Amino acid sequence: MNRRRLLALATAAGALAPIAACSGNSRQVVAYTSVDQVFSEPVFRAFERQSGIRVRVVYDTEETKSTGVLNRLIAEAQNPQADVFWSGDPVRPFQLIRRNLVEPYISPESAGLPDAFKAADGTWTGFAARARVLMASRLAIGQDAPTPPRGVADLVSPRWRGQISIANPLYGTTTMHIGALFSIWGEERTRAYLVDLRGNGVRIASSNGEVKRLVAGGEVALGLTDSDDANEARREGADVSVIYPDQDELGTLVIPTSVVLMRGAQRPETARVLIDYLLSADVERQMAESAAHMPLREGVPTPSHVPSASQLRAMQVDYARVAEQIEAQQDWLRQWVGL
Amino acid sequence: MGRPLMVARDKWQQPLIIAGATAVIVVAIGPPLVATLGQLIGVGDALAPFATVQVWRLLVRSLLLAATVTALALAIGVPLGITFARARMPFQRLLFGAHVSILFLPPFLPTLGLFHLFGREGYLGGPLSAALLFSDLGCALALTITLLPAVTALTAIGARGVDASLEEAARIAGGPWRAAAFVVAPNAAPAIALAGVVVFALAFSELGVPMFLRTDVYPALVFSRLGGMDFAPGEAAAFALPLVVLAGALMWIEQRLAGGRAVAALGGGLRARAPLFAFHPVMLGFSVLAACASLAPVAALLAHGAENGGFVEASRWIGAAPFNSVLAASLAAALMTAAGAVLGVSLAWRGVTGVWFDRFTVLVFLLPSAILGIGVAIAWNHSATNWLYASVLVLVVAYVARYSALATRTVAAAIVQTPRSLDNAARTIGAGYLERLKLQFGIAPQALLGAFALTLVFSLRDLETAVLLYPPGGEPLTARIFTLEANGPPGVVSALAVLHVLITFGAIGLAWLTLGQGSRHD
């Protein structure tokens, strides 16, 4: 047998292996997630070790965070591939709920989680949360630092002109933050605010991760990003400080991750086992330690730099209304971004 | 075997083999294209999205960006390509390999390397270099560095294809510089034109680099309808319409500049000859500089990876991604090479099938990959085809759809250099179509190796299609690098990018050893 035939045989055998792996349904589950791979993958692996169930995962990219995977779920609606969607926020599931793509499931593990962070009908359940924070660069601000901003409204001050960065509000948690402002401030005030922000030279980054890079690198003084990004900057040794904005009145936006069971899931039994695991106190602990996510249930130990959700003045938002606002403002936001 | 039997065999062999090759392309491209058209029809008024000035502003910006990148790449790449092809210098192959290695990576990763170099906190960076990098000019320069080797390589191949006697006559009459300027370059024009078209198309459709460097471009508009909150594939397909016009224009330009020689000029790299230029330190310096420009971003990734423990951490995060990458890419490359062998021969001989399939596949090559990806998902995600959609085969289909033009063109480029009289002679003595194909590839075995290597490289470096379609648990390395970029351990993304370059070199080396040796045995 010559070398080419050997190569062809090896290739064919290699090709068949993953195809065969895809055909069995019993002891595996397919999960799509918009939670950062670096944080979610260890959780899935721990689940595999504990349960013996293999998890096959599709992760989201930083640039399309939360929407890339979400839109793949929508595009695959006619023949769902995913059994479980672990969302990085609680508003994307509403896009699926509205399209009747979610199977309600009330996990026994959800009992310890606050009612504000889960749907009564079991369509979604929130846990391990992030907060939207202001990251400030000591490098860029320097020693004679002006008074740091106390809330997001301060970002339109001329003092910060050209010194602020936010991620593209068409994608990721920034979408949710802007949607939350629309739901609380109303359309007129929020649009005026965003126009002022643009006029103040805000730099629109491709992702929260890039906002982190810009602030950590001192290219801007302030960035509106997620607490886990800020924590990573801190872990990487960046000279930054973290401000939980609007602790006086509006409150800081708290963003729980959330999990849903997909309607038409090909492996519903193993999917429920995975959801139960994700909602356990152990995963909230893991997420607090690895990703600085705030546990939502009481009594979960956290590292010193991770506040618990109850320590913060949280923005009072109706996540369903935030989801509506996001959709309603899409055209306007695209124009604001320049797309 | 009697002659009537041989004639009868040829009668069924040729249509059957050509039908098989075209079926590979049609199965890969047809369903997603039909699905995309279906989405477009669903929009109703397909021109409605073009009502705003913003859309046209972005289109013009992208055209200007692509034109700038193409102009810069041609200005540097053409003399560089002639230097690599026709000058005597030490370490020529090494320098050329280093220069083209940047093509192995999705452009986003070398740009990340440039950020580690010239960002405010970069190894060579400061506020000024950071401001330049994060500007329209910075974006154009980053894309030029990434795509320049395409011009260099194609020009070098074209320059080697110039008639040796013509070149020698010009050298004796006017010296090497005049020979290069007035004979080599004009005769390599078809290859240079193709390079210009490829670079323009890749620069225009690039999304990752402009997004990272905060430059507004037209592909971001398309992507915002697929990756944004309101999933609107029909609107995205409508926004792709100008790209169809652009693809047509580019093909027309290529034909105008290269005429019937559009393919012919690429095959001359098969012939060895004496250098046109004697050793010249300036030429060596120019080549070293070009190699360094390509290696610098990769070196920055290497340094960043090493400095931050990325290579130690990489084993923890790499998973089965290299295997997934190589498996999907090699299967796709094998299919594209097989189909390209038949269609490339047809194209080289200006057969109707070859010419039309070339246009068809080049058009798809120029479309935004996100559009193609959504088309593949809609077309293949059914319970009856779950075996394909939920496995690595979905990536194979997508790669074949996107990159098969490269295989056809490469094969055609080599075959057109072989004398057609050989085929006529074989036909006269009653050789069947398969025997005649074997004869062609016996004379030009590099055609298959080149087609395989090129499609393998492009499939391995693919990011934008793969990230939309990879099967659960089966992500290729490029997708894994991109998904790990979000808060991944510092250095891991850099380390994985460097490993990706090494894996690509390894895959090409393996293909070279296997197919190259095999072709010699034949």
Side-chain angles (χ1 to χ4, degrees):
Chain A
M1 193 179 292
N2 67 25
R3 226 179 303 195
R4 273 189 292 180
R5 284 188 182 147
L6 269 176
L7 181 72
L9 267 178
T11 308
L16 288 175
I19 297 165
C22 294
S23 60
N25 284 351
S26 57
R27 297 301 287 168
Q28 60 176 283
V29 59
V30 171
Y32 285 19
T33 184
S34 53
V35 175
D36 289 350
Q37 180 176 9
V38 68
F39 305 135
S40 56
E41 190 169 52
V43 172
F44 288 128
R45 297 300 156 245
F47 170 74
E48 284 182 331
R49 284 193 297 275
Q50 183 180 305
S51 67
I53 297 169
R54 184 178 168 225
V55 191
R56 293 168 49 220
V57 192
V58 168
Y59 300 97
D60 220 340
T61 66
E62 176 69 355
E63 274 64 21
T64 63
K65 192 50 64 73
S66 309
T67 43
V69 158
L70 180 83
N71 287 333
R72 185 164 166 175
L73 287 165
I74 295 169
E76 292 174 351
Q78 57 184 333
N79 181 42
Q81 297 292 324
D83 304 311
V84 172
F85 174 41
W86 180 11
S87 171
D89 65 57
V91 299
R92 317 293 161 179
F94 285 98
Q95 311 293 320
L96 302 176
I97 293 165
R98 219 185 50 254
R99 289 174 169 86
N100 201 26
L101 297 176
V102 171
E103 187 71 40
Y105 172 58
I106 299 176
S107 165
E109 290 289 342
S110 67
L113 294 161
D115 290 343
F117 298 118
K118 63 187 179 189
D121 63 358
T123 44
W124 67 276
T125 311
F127 61 108
R130 291 175 287 176
R132 290 287 290 176
V133 298
L134 282 167
M135 224 172 108
S137 163
R138 295 196 183 102
L139 191 72
I141 294 175
Q143 293 303 315
D144 52 342
T147 312
R150 298 178 67 82
V152 292
D154 296 340
L155 299 181
V156 297
S157 160
R159 166 179 286 176
W160 303 112
R161 185 172 183 79
Q163 283 300 310
I164 311 148
S165 179
I166 68 168
N168 188 330
L170 296 178
Y171 313 108
T173 46
T174 312
T175 320
M176 186 182 161
H177 201 161
I178 301 296
L181 293 180
F182 270 105
S183 75
I184 288 178
W185 284 350
E187 182 177 282
E188 194 179 341
R189 182 180 168 190
T190 310
R191 285 187 176 184
Y193 168 75
L194 289 170
V195 168
D196 289 348
L197 199 59
R198 192 81 172 168
N200 211 27
V202 66
R203 291 167 74 170
I204 299 172
S206 62
S207 64
N208 285 316
E210 199 201 328
V211 171
K212 176 194 79 175
R213 263 198 295 266
L214 289 170
V215 178
E219 295 192 31
V220 293
L222 294 164
L224 191 57
T225 187
D226 298 335
S227 51
D228 59 330
D229 294 296
N231 182 60
E232 281 306 306
R234 185 194 57 79
R235 188 181 285 182
E236 289 163 15
D239 193 10
V240 296
S241 59
V242 178
I243 301 160
Y244 287 86
D246 298 302
Q247 285 297 291
D248 300 337
E249 41 182 306
L250 184 65
T252 295
L253 181 63
V254 173
I255 307 174
T257 65
S258 62
V259 65
V260 303
L261 174 65
M262 296 302 295
R263 176 155 287 164
Q266 296 177 32
R267 294 148 290 257
E269 291 310 315
T270 48
R272 288 190 182 95
V273 178
L274 175 60
I275 290 174
D276 292 347
Y277 176 78
L278 290 175
L279 295 176
S280 66
D282 189 43
V283 169
E284 284 212 303
R285 182 193 54 76
Q286 283 181 54
M287 291 296 286
E289 286 174 0
S290 67
H293 280 44
M294 300 177 289
L296 294 183
R297 57 162 57 76
E298 296 290 332
V300 176
T302 60
S304 58
H305 61 275
V306 180
S308 71
S310 56
Q311 287 175 280
L312 289 180
R313 181 189 181 94
M315 194 187 288
Q316 298 302 305
V317 287
D318 173 351
Y319 296 120
R321 188 165 151 65
V322 172
E324 285 168 16
Q325 285 299 316
I326 288 172
E327 284 215 68
Q329 301 297 335
Q330 275 295 294
D331 281 344
W332 190 86
L333 282 174
R334 276 196 201 125
Q335 285 172 29
W336 184 79
V337 171
L339 295 175
Chain B
M1 192 181 291
R3 185 174 165 74
L5 188 60
M6 285 192 289
V7 171
R9 189 183 58 180
D10 193 36
K11 268 188 181 168
W12 64 258
Q13 247 186 16
Q14 182 160 356
L16 202 67
I17 291 171
I18 291 179
T22 54
V24 170
I25 307 298
V26 168
V27 166
I29 295 179
L33 221 52
V34 169
T36 306
L37 280 174
Q39 295 291 325
L40 190 58
I41 291 164
V43 172
D45 183 2
L47 297 180
F50 296 95
T52 64
V53 176
Q54 186 66 6
V55 172
W56 296 102
R57 187 187 70 85
L58 284 171
L59 188 59
V60 170
R61 273 182 70 88
S62 278
L63 287 170
L64 285 175
L65 176 69
T68 307
V69 171
T70 309
L72 286 171
L74 286 173
I76 303 166
V78 171
L80 191 60
I82 293 173
T83 303
F84 273 123
R86 305 300 301 119
R88 188 191 300 277
M89 70 174 92
F91 310 112
Q92 196 166 12
R93 286 188 178 181
L94 190 69
L95 290 171
F96 185 72
H99 177 58
V100 298
S101 64
I102 200 169
L103 272 180
F104 294 176
L105 287 170
F108 170 75
L109 291 174
T111 306
L112 197 60
L114 289 172
F115 173 74
H116 292 318
L117 274 178
F118 300 116
R120 186 182 286 252
E121 294 286 281
Y123 298 114
L124 307 173
L128 199 64
S129 65
L132 176 65
L133 184 63
F134 286 93
S135 69
D136 288 357
L137 180 60
C139 184
L141 291 174
L143 282 171
T144 303
I145 290 171
T146 309
L147 299 174
L148 171 64
V151 177
T152 313
L154 284 168
T155 304
I157 293 170
R160 284 181 186 164
V162 175
D163 188 291
S165 54
L166 201 64
E167 183 185 295
E168 182 62 11
R171 190 186 66 80
I172 291 166
W177 294 99
R178 288 175 68 85
F182 297 109
V183 173
V184 176
N187 278 281
I192 295 167
L194 176 62
V197 167
V198 167
V199 168
F200 189 94
L202 291 176
F204 186 90
S205 60
E206 176 59 31
L207 176 62
V209 173
M211 271 179 93
F212 181 67
L213 297 178
R214 293 193 298 278
T215 300
D216 292 338
V217 288
Y218 191 77
L221 188 76
V222 179
F223 190 68
S224 71
R225 268 59 175 180
L226 297 172
M229 198 66 183
D230 54 341
F231 181 57
E235 214 173 309
F239 280 128
L241 285 174
L243 304 184
V244 177
V245 177
L246 178 69
L250 289 176
M251 280 191 276
W252 181 80
I253 290 168
E254 188 201 356
Q255 282 298 315
R256 287 281 295 178
L257 291 176
R261 299 183 303 148
V263 170
L266 293 179
L270 308 176
R271 291 194 294 267
R273 65 176 66 183
L276 175 64
F277 293 98
F279 172 74
H280 196 295
V282 172
M283 286 184 167
L284 178 64
F286 189 30
S287 305
V288 168
L289 203 62
C292 289
S294 291
L295 285 181
V298 181
L301 291 169
L302 181 71
H304 186 253
E307 194 181 325
N308 293 286
F311 290 94
V312 179
E313 284 273 313
S315 61
R316 190 178 151 210
W317 293 104
I318 198 165
F323 173 76
N324 298 332
S325 276
V326 173
L327 177 65
S330 54
L331 281 174
L335 271 175
M336 284 186 270
T337 306
V342 177
L343 296 173
V345 169
S346 176
L347 175 64
W349 295 342
R350 308 304 294 168
V352 175
T353 311
V355 169
W356 278 101
F357 268 80
D358 177 57
R359 289 175 185 168
F360 187 42
T361 52
V362 167
L363 175 70
V364 176
F365 178 63
L366 298 176
L367 280 180
S369 49
I371 296 280
L372 184 70
I374 294 294
V376 169
I378 293 169
W380 290 103
N381 183 29
H382 304 281
S383 53
T385 50
N386 208 48
W387 57 273
L388 183 146
Y389 186 75
S391 76
V392 70
L393 294 179
V394 72
L395 291 179
V396 175
V397 166
Y399 293 159
V400 171
R402 188 149 171 72
Y403 301 118
S404 55
L406 300 172
T408 310
R409 285 279 176 126
T410 309
V411 169
I415 293 300
V416 84
Q417 302 296 320
T418 65
R420 183 74 193 270
S421 55
L422 283 177
D423 183 64
N424 290 334
R427 189 199 293 263
T428 307
I429 61 163
Y433 183 69
L434 198 57
E435 281 80 15
R436 284 160 43 217
L437 279 184
K438 278 185 180 172
L439 176 69
Q440 292 299 327
F441 294 115
I443 299 167
Q446 302 91 327
L448 296 181
L449 180 61
F452 186 82
L454 194 62
T455 50
L456 183 72
V457 166
F458 270 80
S459 301
L460 281 173
R461 79 196 276 274
D462 181 278
L463 169 66
E464 283 153 341
T465 321
V467 88
L468 279 172
L469 291 168
Y470 74 80
E475 72 271 40
L477 188 53
T478 47
R480 196 165 183 85
I481 293 171
F482 215 46
T483 53
L484 274 174
E485 196 225 339
N487 283 328
V492 164
V493 167
S494 303
L496 291 181
V498 174
L499 290 174
H500 187 273
V501 174
L502 296 177
I503 287 166
T504 305
F505 269 121
I508 291 173
L510 192 65
W512 185 270
L513 282 175
T514 312
L515 297 176
Q517 298 277 332
S519 63
R520 275 201 286 280
H521 293 318
D522 292 340

